[in-house]
Amino acid sequence: MRRAFLGEFEEIVLLVVAACSDEAYGVTIWEEVQQQTGRSITMSAVHATLYRLEEKGYLASSMGGATAERGGRRKRFFTLTALGVRALNDIQEMRNRLWEAIPPGKFQLIGG
Amino acid sequence: MNPRPVEPPRWADRLLEAFLAPHLLEDVQGDLHEVFYKRVDEVGATKARREYGWAAVQYVSPFFFKAFRRGPSPGIHESVEYVQLPFFHPDMIRNYLTVARRNLVRNKSYTTLNVFGLALSMACSILIFMMVSYHLSFDRFHANADRIYRIVTGTGAANALSSAGVYVPMGRVFRDEYTFAEKTGRVATNYGTTISIPGTRSTNKFREAIAFAEPEFLEIMSFPFVQGRPAALAEPDRVVITEAIGQKLFGDQNPVGKTIRLDNRMDVTVTGVLQNIPANTDRREEIYVSFANLKPYNDWFHEENWTGISGNMQCFVLLKPTVPVAEAEKAFTAISQKYIKDATERKNVFRLQPIADIHFNLNYDGRMDKTNLWALSLIGLLLIVTACVNFVNLATAQALKRAKEIGIRKVLGSERAQLFWQFIAETGIIAVFAMLVAVGVAYLLMPLLNQLFQIDLSIMINYQLVGFLVALTILVTLLSGSYPGLILAGFQPILALKGKLSQKHVGGFSIRRVLVVGQLAISQILIIGTIVITSQMRFSQQSDLGFNKNSVVLLPMPVQEAAKMSTLKSQFMQLPGVENVSFCMQAPASQAVNMTSVRFDNRDKDEDFLIRTKDADEAYMPTFDLKLVAGRNILHSDTTREFVINETAVKALGIKSPQEALGKILITSKGRRRGPIVGVMKDFFNNSFRGAIDPICLRANLGEYGNCAVKINLQSRRETLTSLEKIWNTSFPEFIYSYQFVDDQVAQFYALDELILKLIQFFAIIAISISCLGLFGMISFMAAQKTKEIGIRKALGAGVESIVWLFSKEFIQLTGIAVLVATPIAWWAMHRWLQDFVYKIGIEWWMFALSGTVALSIVLLTVSYQSVKAALVNPVKSLRSE
């Protein structure tokens, strides 16, 4: 298995999908990403990232039932795959290792 | 369900539908709509719509475009659904190409006919486009072309005469006394100056056109300098030449600083070198001499000469951007009132002719008639239409064969628009293919065309040509694809699948009949054009012009010295093949025009018309076989002592009979030449048949004898011409020998008509070929359709003739209708063309009969092969298939 590689934005989107309590689809993910990052992000960027993550195998999707407020169009719900979970874990672990590797007192020096 | 009051912008949805991969469309669009309705409540409809549009545009990105090609990946989405791909999806395009290829390969003969017909007509339009754009580009390349004008002269006198030339001082006065122009530059051309290099062997000499130009002339025109600059011509005895001339005279040496000798009597020093003159200008001179040298070279061009105009003396102006043309033209009237004393001369009107008009204005020695270019473009368009008609005919005829395919496609959910575009795509493939062939054909035909029309075109890939090719391909695709496409797409699937479609569902025969008639009529018009123009050309070439043009050769006379000329004459006369020798200015009919004022008898002022002068010796009339109607020929003299005038001049002078004119005094050239009228000659054609016969006077004037006319015996013409050359070269070793037959000179009157004739012939042949291709395709189709009918007829005892007749009848009718349609159009067009001629043929019924017969025979020949083949088929074979 190839090493997980995630871009920063991809990671955020993946985390947002993971963090959603209800079923996650385009609009909710989009709103959440904006809220969490505090940045203004286009819908197309979110969609592109979602589909790319799906292609890489980190996300899976399924079509929901039709809803009236979308002109009868169905929603595509995204869920994390096992691979996606592992990718997030890998990243988290790597971060932790790096954090732990920081010599004590270094931050005070830099920050001070 | 309540309809929503607010909707997202439709164009944005369209955009999404076009660009998004279909498996992604639903949820993306759904998400966007959801946000949209939310935003409507928050910020209002207008803003929400704007946001929606902007959001949609973001999807036009490489990522979503690639998603197109990848399509839904199975196993990731839980189910693979059937999705309808958008029209321009790469997979769909591949599918169209496959289907098209299979169809085209299956019907090889139809494909070949189509591609060949289209390619032929496209090749012609490419050539026409290049020729037209070449002519339209004339003199457009000058930096300020829109502000450059030439001063031209129109004569107000009775026999209207227009000239591209002006009075010698006109330009100078306009420059000195008025401020309309930024620059005014005069240029005087001498065609046929002998150029040599002093101190070299006498063989190194050339005959070239030279132009005496003011520096301003080269500043107005954008002929780029390689060395030197226009100011080089400000001083006398300077010359600017082109690189080509430099190469010719001095080889690879730098010409600057070298000396050139003009006509063995005037030395000038090269002070500048120009780049070679581009092909698309009519100012072809390559040697520019200081204007100050003009008067020493030819005394007539002196700065006070307000008494006459030479077409060789021209003046160009670069108007200031704000000056209206009409304003500047007023200055010319003022100038002529101030400086011109003579009443007749003062009637001249001066105009400013835009430089872009020079190539096209035949009144001022233009080379090309714009109408011809438009006619040519029209022919090109007609050829394209003809080829498209073939295509439509063949495609609709084919349509029934594809009924099953269409039916199945429709049942499987193809939409009408999709089928239509599929057919257009198929046509597009053929069109692109035909275009490639056409470019090849045009490329191969180019040298032939150049040779035929004496031009120098080459296929240059520029954006105009590429644009034209693209536009042409699209035009052809739409013209030939839309109608069959609509028909095919419109099939009722049930009928199509049951095989119950018949001819009437594909537009029937009547539409195709109309198209064929149109096509035949176009060929017909071109054939009639060919016949009429040929007849007129033959008329002008074979008519008796009133003088002998066939056996007279003109040799140039570089010097006018009585002793030298009489020696030359006696040497010529000793040759056995020479019948007569005359020294003269021009042949009886000539493009060079010399007009002068005329005063008759004791009348107190000059006549209202100008008389055309023929300066010549007493041998002129016998040499050219001019006939007298009264009096006698002039006697030998070096200057004018007496006149012979023509019958038109007698009429113009208002005299009752030729006899009455005899003995009366005639005064020409502002009183400088006077003498009695001793004879009246029969009228002869002194112009092309486009112009009327001018009043003419024949007078002796040794100083103007630029030519030696030799009447030779045609039986021994080769030996005689060799001997003439030998004698001439011994008499004038330092000049260049050349000769021209008078009938060749006369033929030049019709050079443009000759060109038009060749073009029409060429395109008539192409048009006929294309129509034949179409007919051939149609008759093959008809034969295939009627196989059973023929079988039954034969089984019932019909003979071969009656079956051939069955086919031919139809086409004879169509040809007949085409003749009826074409006749009035052709008559009108040819009538218009003939209007230009004063002496012309009438359009006669046999011309139409002949062209009709020609067309009919071609049609019958084309259909005979297929119809005979059909008629000869064994009925057992054709009927067994049932």
Side-chain angles (χ1 to χ4, degrees):
Chain A
M1 188 76 214
R2 150 180 90 92
R3 287 283 303 161
F5 175 78
L6 280 176
E8 187 252 2
F9 191 65
E10 283 178 333
E11 192 187 335
I12 292 169
V13 172
L14 206 54
L15 282 168
V16 166
V17 174
C20 266
S21 48
D22 298 328
E23 282 178 313
Y25 69 100
V27 179
T28 51
I29 299 168
W30 177 58
E31 283 169 346
E32 188 64 17
V33 167
Q34 297 206 80
Q35 209 182 337
Q36 291 297 334
T37 59
R39 285 182 271 172
S40 158
I41 286 157
T42 64
M43 179 85 99
S44 72
V46 173
H47 273 129
T49 310
L50 283 171
Y51 297 136
R52 193 178 294 123
L53 287 171
E54 189 182 0
E55 267 167 31
K56 288 181 177 175
Y58 299 133
L59 288 177
S61 72
S62 60
M63 298 301 273
T67 39
E69 79 269 23
R70 295 158 63 93
R73 292 180 185 83
R74 295 173 296 168
K75 290 175 184 168
R76 185 185 293 279
F77 293 115
F78 291 92
T79 50
L80 247 67
T81 59
L83 190 65
V85 174
R86 197 160 82 207
L88 284 178
N89 277 331
D90 282 356
I91 291 170
Q92 186 68 7
E93 258 173 47
M94 183 198 66
R95 296 246 160 98
N96 284 342
R97 271 200 309 279
L98 285 171
W99 276 101
E100 280 157 21
I102 300 171
K106 192 90 173 242
F107 263 2
Q108 277 86 348
L109 280 176
I110 296 169
Chain B
M1 204 168 78
N2 277 341
R4 284 179 185 279
V6 201
E7 294 260 312
R10 261 185 84 69
W11 65 265
D13 273 336
R14 285 268 171 80
L15 191 74
L16 287 174
E17 280 152 25
F19 266 89
L20 268 177
H23 62 284
L24 304 178
L25 181 64
E26 183 173 6
D27 48 305
V28 166
Q29 225 175 10
D31 287 353
L32 284 172
H33 278 221
E34 189 178 327
V35 173
F36 170 74
Y37 292 121
K38 232 183 255 178
R39 293 295 286 168
V40 171
D41 298 338
E42 289 167 20
V43 296
T46 321
K47 190 149 187 237
R49 284 170 70 88
R50 203 160 53 229
E51 282 176 357
Y52 185 89
W54 179 233
V57 169
Q58 315 269 336
Y59 284 85
V60 182
S61 78
F63 176 83
F64 292 98
F65 185 69
K66 279 182 204 144
F68 235 29
R69 261 205 315 244
R70 282 195 303 266
S73 16
I76 290 180
H77 295 315
E78 54 197 10
S79 64
V80 180
E81 301 160 50
Y82 172 78
V83 282
Q84 195 172 31
L85 295 177
F87 179 72
F88 285 114
H89 190 281
D91 282 346
M92 287 307 287
I93 292 177
R94 202 171 309 135
N95 178 260
Y96 302 145
L97 290 176
T98 313
V99 173
R101 187 171 48 85
R102 286 180 188 156
N103 266 316
L104 297 179
V105 171
R106 193 174 306 140
N107 304 305
K108 282 199 192 67
S109 55
Y110 288 105
T111 310
T112 318
L113 281 182
N114 272 332
V115 169
F116 191 67
L118 282 181
L120 205 58
S121 69
M122 281 167 137
C124 286
S125 4
I126 293 173
L127 293 176
I128 291 176
F129 173 79
M130 291 181 54
M131 198 140 48
V132 170
S133 62
Y134 166 74
H135 281 291
L136 289 179
S137 76
F138 261 68
D139 283 317
R140 297 281 164 102
F141 59 87
H142 297 292
N144 296 308
D146 53 328
R147 289 194 283 133
I148 303 178
Y149 295 85
R150 178 168 74 177
I151 310 177
V152 294
T153 311
T155 304
N159 41 2
L161 173 80
S162 21
S163 168
V166 279
Y167 297 102
V168 180
M170 182 64 103
R172 175 179 52 85
V173 173
F174 185 67
R175 178 170 48 216
D176 292 350
E177 300 184 10
Y178 295 88
T179 55
F180 295 121
E182 236 168 71
K183 291 192 175 86
T184 306
R186 288 178 287 174
V187 59
T189 313
N190 187 56
Y191 302 95
T193 299
T194 303
I195 307 290
S196 53
I197 305 165
T200 57
R201 287 212 332 236
S202 59
T203 48
N204 194 13
K205 57 193 176 181
F206 306 96
R207 184 195 291 267
E208 298 286 344
I210 63 168
F212 296 89
E214 293 181 313
E216 288 86 350
F217 173 75
L218 288 176
E219 286 166 7
I220 294 171
M221 302 292 178
S222 315
F223 298 128
F225 274 81
V226 180
Q227 283 176 284
R229 55 207 166 79
L233 287 183
E235 286 170 63
D237 300 331
R238 299 291 165 83
V239 66
V240 169
I241 60 177
T242 60
E243 285 180 298
I245 291 284
Q247 178 73 28
K248 204 161 147 184
L249 290 175
F250 307 107
D252 292 330
Q253 294 171 310
N254 184 357
V256 171
K258 297 269 189 336
T259 305
I260 294 176
R261 185 163 288 173
L262 311 175
D263 274 345
N264 299 304
R265 59 190 171 91
M266 183 181 279
D267 283 355
V268 286
T269 310
V270 179
T271 47
V273 179
L274 288 173
Q275 267 177 31
N276 288 333
I277 307 291
N280 52 354
T281 174
D282 288 325
R283 294 224 66 99
R284 302 241 53 89
E285 302 84 16
E286 302 193 78
I287 299 173
Y288 288 97
V289 184
S290 303
F291 197 77
N293 288 56
L294 177 59
K295 187 176 173 293
Y297 187 85
N298 184 340
D299 187 48
W300 188 86
F301 292 94
H302 62 87
E303 282 289 4
E304 299 312 319
N305 186 355
W306 289 100
T307 58
I309 287 164
S310 161
N312 293 346
M313 171 75 228
Q314 306 192 351
C315 182
F316 287 81
V317 298
L318 177 65
L319 279 195
K320 285 180 182 163
T322 50
V323 173
V325 174
E327 200 66 31
E329 280 176 343
K330 274 184 207 151
F332 299 124
T333 321
I335 293 175
S336 72
Q337 268 161 9
K338 183 170 167 192
Y339 288 96
I340 302 174
K341 302 283 173 285
D342 186 272
T344 325
E345 298 279 352
R346 206 182 292 164
K347 283 179 186 156
N348 288 331
V349 212
F350 304 95
R351 278 183 218 97
L352 285 174
Q353 177 192 25
I355 192 167
D357 186 50
I358 289 180
H359 186 60
F360 300 106
N361 199 326
L362 298 184
N363 287 335
Y364 305 114
D365 305 330
R367 299 294 164 82
M368 180 40 85
D369 194 342
K370 251 188 191 160
T371 333
N372 289 332
L373 291 185
W374 303 138
L376 206 57
S377 313
L378 185 68
I379 291 178
L381 189 67
L382 289 180
L383 287 181
I384 290 287
V385 170
T386 313
C388 292
V389 164
N390 277 355
F391 192 99
V392 171
N393 273 342
L394 288 178
T396 40
Q398 287 264 78
L400 284 184
K401 286 194 186 172
R402 300 184 61 179
K404 286 244 162 63
E405 178 200 335
I406 306 294
I408 289 171
R409 278 177 184 276
K410 283 204 145 180
V411 166
L412 289 180
S414 283
E415 281 163 24
R416 208 184 148 109
Q418 255 178 329
L419 284 171
F420 174 76
W421 284 108
Q422 183 204 330
F423 196 80
I424 292 280
E426 228 167 87
T427 315
I429 294 170
I430 297 182
V432 168
F433 198 61
M435 172 56 70
L436 294 178
V437 177
V439 171
V441 171
Y443 186 77
L444 291 178
L445 279 180
M446 192 64 70
L448 179 78
L449 203 74
N450 280 341
Q451 198 194 0
L452 204 62
F453 304 130
Q454 308 285 308
I455 47 175
D456 191 24
L457 282 183
S458 55
I459 292 202
M460 281 180 306
I461 302 301
N462 52 18
Y463 67 94
Q464 282 170 322
L465 183 64
V466 172
F468 174 74
L469 293 183
V470 171
L472 184 61
T473 314
I474 293 174
L475 175 80
V476 164
T477 307
L478 292 181
L479 268 185
S480 28
S482 345
Y483 178 70
L486 283 175
I487 296 283
L488 281 174
F491 280 165
Q492 293 277 321
I494 294 179
L495 291 181
L497 283 176
K498 279 186 176 169
K500 281 198 175 162
L501 286 176
S502 66
Q503 280 298 328
K504 69 175 192 297
H505 294 97
V506 290
F509 228 45
S510 55
I511 287 182
R512 273 184 281 151
R513 276 204 193 102
V514 171
L515 293 178
V516 166
V517 165
Q519 206 174 35
L520 287 174
I522 291 169
S523 316
Q524 189 71 26
I525 292 170
L526 289 174
I527 298 177
I528 295 174
T530 307
I531 295 175
V532 173
I533 297 177
T534 312
S535 310
Q536 172 68 22
M537 299 292 279
R538 187 175 297 165
F539 172 68
S540 56
Q541 271 153 20
Q542 295 183 346
S543 295
D544 181 11
L545 298 182
F547 65 92
N548 164 31
K549 60 171 176 163
N550 296 322
S551 53
V552 182
V553 190
L554 289 178
L555 312 178
M557 287 298 292
V559 291
Q560 282 79 37
E561 292 167 29
K564 216 161 187 180
M565 287 156 94
S566 84
T567 320
L568 189 73
K569 179 166 178 170
S570 60
Q571 278 174 316
F572 281 170
M573 289 299 281
Q574 276 161 20
L575 295 173
V578 171
E579 292 177 2
N580 218 330
V581 176
S582 161
F583 294 105
C584 58
M585 193 174 188
Q586 304 143 353
S590 158
Q591 274 167 319
V593 181
N594 292 74
M595 301 282 220
T596 185
S597 66
V598 57
R599 187 178 296 196
F600 179 69
D601 205 12
N602 294 320
R603 294 180 187 170
D604 56 356
K605 62 182 184 63
D606 284 350
E607 295 298 320
D608 213 16
F609 62 91
L610 296 176
I611 196 161
R612 190 152 163 171
T613 56
K614 296 283 171 195
D615 293 348
D617 64 9
E618 73 285 357
Y620 194 71
M621 294 192 62
T623 302
F624 285 102
D625 288 338
L626 299 174
K627 305 281 184 302
L628 279 169
V629 291
R632 59 167 175 84
N633 190 3
I634 51 171
L635 296 176
H636 178 78
S637 166
D638 289 347
T639 57
T640 309
R641 292 238 176 80
E642 47 197 22
F643 291 95
V644 169
I645 60 173
N646 69 348
E647 293 168 304
T648 304
V650 171
K651 262 178 246 142
L653 289 170
I655 317 168
K656 297 261 161 19
S657 76
Q659 298 296 338
E660 248 173 86
L662 299 181
K664 299 274 169 39
I665 296 292
L666 200 67
I667 305 168
T668 58
S669 305
K670 310 282 172 233
R672 276 180 286 127
R673 307 204 174 265
R674 65 156 54 220
I677 297 169
V678 294
V680 174
M681 54 189 166
K682 203 166 176 302
D683 270 343
F684 55 86
F685 285 94
N686 65 314
N687 278 319
S688 80
F689 280 14
R690 289 182 195 282
I693 295 175
D694 292 318
I696 293 171
C697 70
L698 177 67
R699 59 182 196 188
N701 190 1
L702 181 86
E704 295 291 345
Y705 296 163
N707 280 300
C708 175
V710 185
K711 184 178 181 186
I712 60 170
N713 187 334
L714 289 176
Q715 246 100 58
S716 54
R717 77 183 245 180
R718 189 174 300 162
E719 302 87 77
T720 314
L721 285 175
T722 323
S723 316
L724 288 178
E725 177 169 6
K726 213 174 284 169
I727 297 172
W728 194 96
N729 276 334
T730 8
S731 307
F732 306 108
E734 63 278 29
F735 291 96
I736 304 158
Y737 175 81
S738 65
Y739 75 88
Q740 195 175 25
F741 272 94
V742 173
D743 52 358
D744 289 339
Q745 222 184 30
V746 171
Q748 281 174 7
F749 282 141
Y750 306 104
L752 188 59
D753 299 302
E754 193 80 51
L755 177 80
I756 301 302
L757 178 63
K758 280 183 195 164
L759 282 173
I760 293 217
Q761 280 171 340
F762 181 77
F763 291 119
I765 291 171
I766 301 280
I768 292 167
S769 317
I770 295 173
S771 315
C772 286
L773 283 180
L775 291 175
F776 193 78
M778 265 191 73
I779 181 91
S780 343
F781 176 75
M782 267 174 68
Q785 291 278 306
K786 293 193 175 178
T787 320
K788 294 236 171 66
E789 182 187 336
I790 294 166
I792 294 168
R793 278 174 188 266
K794 284 193 84 169
L796 293 177
V800 173
E801 326 78 65
S802 70
I803 288 170
V804 171
W805 173 245
L806 179 76
F807 283 104
S808 309
K809 189 174 61 182
E810 166 94 24
F811 287 97
I812 292 174
Q813 279 170 0
L814 293 183
T815 314
I817 300 172
V819 170
L820 290 183
V821 173
T823 302
I825 301 175
W827 183 86
W828 176 80
M830 285 298 106
H831 182 73
R832 282 278 311 265
W833 183 75
L834 284 172
Q835 286 305 302
D836 285 349
F837 290 86
V838 177
Y839 302 95
K840 60 193 169 211
I841 53 163
I843 303 178
E844 292 173 51
W845 66 269
W846 63 262
M847 294 172 176
F848 299 98
L850 177 63
S851 71
T853 316
V854 169
L856 193 63
S857 356
I858 293 173
V859 166
L860 289 181
L861 213 64
T862 311
V863 300
S864 62
Y865 170 73
Q866 286 287 351
S867 57
V868 168
K869 202 171 94 180
L872 288 178
V873 169
N874 186 350
V876 177
K877 268 188 192 159
S878 54
L879 290 176
R880 191 183 280 164
S881 63
E882 193 81 325

